[in-house]
Amino acid sequence: MSARDHNSISALVEQLLQQLGEDPTRSGLQKTPDRVARSLLFLTRGYQQNVEELIHGATFEQEYDEMIVLRDIDLYSLCEHHLLPFYGKCHIAYIPRRHVIGLSKLPRIVDVFSRRLQLQERLTREIANCLDEHLHPWGVAVVIEALHLCMAMRGVEKQNAYVVTSEMLGAFRTKASTRAEFLHFIRGSK
Ligand code: ZN
């Protein structure tokens, strides 16, 4: 990710406005290229964030081996096919083997992976794998429920269809009762 130059992006947005038949010099649009460039850089800042750095020093040993669930984490991302937002909730659970992570880090991990161009399926997997690799827990579960504006706005007629994806690792994959307990915890959310 070398090129993330505000001025280059801004110039491209100005061209885009022209190509769309707009007049970038009219008063309402004069600052738009600059704003869009700033906004895009913000919405894709996950490329410049390092999840190792984020997690480093935030895990600690604790004798706790029950399920830890954090549900309803706000999630905003951009679909890589249309560059339109998809947004919703992320639910995370894990069963620590030895290491736990500060709870406030979970939404930040979600943020690092969602502030990029994404596919919901991949985003779900990346969050689960990240926790699996860094905590080596008995199991990790991630569920994302999201509304895709590329579906809602482009007349696919699934205006309020939530896309639900899940990734279950370890005990959540092998034990039906563990998975059921997690799904019970997150039911009624949204
Ligand atoms: Zn899309």
Side-chain angles (χ1 to χ4, degrees):
M1 296 305 140
S2 50
R4 284 179 65 85
D5 178 61
H6 177 276
N7 290 337
S8 316
I9 297 171
S10 176
L12 287 167
V13 174
E14 192 175 332
Q15 280 182 43
L16 179 65
L17 288 171
Q18 270 163 350
Q19 293 299 319
L20 292 174
E22 264 292 356
D23 171 13
T25 63
R26 73 176 170 84
S27 66
L29 289 179
Q30 276 172 13
K31 290 183 176 164
T32 297
D34 175 58
R35 289 194 192 100
V36 173
R38 243 185 299 143
S39 160
L40 279 175
L41 286 169
F42 177 81
L43 297 176
T44 58
R45 70 194 157 151
Y47 288 125
Q48 294 187 309
Q49 292 172 330
N50 185 326
V51 86
E52 268 74 32
E53 244 166 60
L54 178 63
I55 290 175
H56 185 75
T59 65
F60 38 97
E61 285 189 34
Q62 198 168 74
E63 292 302 319
Y64 185 80
D65 59 1
E66 296 294 326
M67 189 183 301
I68 296 171
V69 184
L70 192 60
R71 69 173 222 195
D72 293 333
I73 301 168
D74 286 327
L75 172 144
Y76 296 91
S77 190
L78 288 175
C79 100
E80 69 179 20
H81 295 149
H82 305 95
L83 303 191
L84 286 170
F86 65 94
Y87 61 96
K89 300 288 185 189
C90 179
H91 316 289
I92 297 177
Y94 71 101
I95 302 170
R97 191 188 301 260
R98 206 185 167 85
H99 291 95
V100 296
I101 184 166
L103 279 180
S104 67
K105 295 293 178 183
L106 295 177
R108 296 188 60 194
I109 292 170
V110 171
D111 221 48
V112 168
F113 290 109
S114 57
R115 300 295 192 182
R116 304 175 182 194
L117 305 187
Q118 274 290 9
L119 295 172
Q120 186 176 328
E121 298 86 336
R122 189 175 64 223
L123 174 59
T124 312
R125 201 176 324 123
E126 284 178 347
I127 295 167
N129 287 343
C130 171
L131 290 169
D132 194 43
E133 282 163 24
H134 288 92
L135 297 175
H136 307 291
W138 293 113
V140 182
V142 177
V143 168
I144 293 177
E145 303 169 281
L147 201 56
H148 289 246
L149 287 190
C150 62
M151 286 172 70
M153 292 178 75
R154 296 184 319 127
V156 190
E157 310 220 338
K158 291 195 170 155
Q159 308 242 328
N160 281 307
Y162 273 82
V163 177
V164 182
T165 49
S166 69
E167 183 76 12
M168 306 278 169
L169 302 175
F172 290 92
R173 181 179 284 260
T174 56
K175 277 187 74 183
S177 59
T178 303
R179 195 163 55 241
E181 189 184 344
F182 167 61
L183 295 173
H184 172 77
F185 276 132
I186 67 172
R187 198 171 301 142
S189 61
K190 182 166 73 197

